Amino acid sequence: MTVESKVKQTLANLKGVESTLRIYSLQSKNKEEVNAYKEALNTTESVIKDIEDRIKTLEFEEPQYKED
């Protein structure tokens, strides 16, 4: 498994976590829980953006990994 494929798998997992956090934040009635979920969601979104940027860098540096 290449580095890029591992990074892409991590990205897919994080997007699953993001979806779960979004659902939990919408379903919760407790304000503290909602705030905790939203804070975790913001952090997760930031990490996702960083990983997406890293994938672009990998594809630029290693064009053989670029998916067409």
Side-chain angles (χ1 to χ4, degrees), residues 11-22:
L11 178 61
N13 291 337
L14 280 168
K15 286 185 176 186
V17 169
E18 177 187 32
S19 296
T20 301
L21 287 169
R22 194 174 309 277

Side-chain angles (χ1 to χ4, degrees), residues 1 4 9 11 20 22-24 27 32-33 36 40 43 50 52-54 56 61-63:
M1 185 177 271
E4 185 178 15
Q9 181 62 46
L11 178 61
T20 301
R22 194 174 309 277
I23 289 168
Y24 288 170
Q27 290 178 343
E32 289 179 23
E33 287 179 11
T43 301
D50 290 345
E52 287 173 338
D53 291 344
R54 181 64 184 141
K56 289 176 187 173
E61 292 175 356
E62 303 289 340

